Amino acid sequence: MKVRVDQGRCQGHTLCAMVAPGVFELDDVDGHASAVEEDVPATREAAARRAARSCPERAISVGGEAS
Ligand code: SF4
């Protein structure tokens, strides 16, 4: 499953990295999130979807769909 963070929407709330720490990481400079791996392993898909739902900016798309 593909996962992607829209850098134009991300405000660095960090929720995604707390919900799915192995899936999202935060940039040390601007605090924006990005996917650790664009192709999320099956074992982490549920966490990636939870993180997408938790993002207040709706910046995360999973499986090619916006959250
Ligand atoms: S929860 Fe959304 S806005 Fe916050 S860091 Fe993650 S992608 Fe960015």
Side-chain angles (χ1 to χ4, degrees):
M1 185 182 79
K2 299 275 189 191
V3 64
R4 189 177 163 275
V5 176
D6 182 336
Q7 297 297 307
R9 288 182 172 224
C10 177
Q11 296 297 315
H13 299 300
T14 76
L15 290 172
C16 57
M18 287 191 282
V19 171
V23 180
F24 298 98
E25 60 189 356
L26 300 171
D27 188 280
D28 289 339
V29 177
D30 64 14
H32 287 183
S34 60
V36 174
E37 295 178 279
E38 190 178 316
D39 275 315
V40 177
T43 52
R44 291 186 167 160
E45 286 186 4
R49 290 188 191 281
R50 275 198 303 277
R53 287 195 298 272
S54 76
C55 176
E57 306 300 331
R58 303 181 75 84
I60 301 171
S61 56
V62 292
E65 301 166 10
S67 61

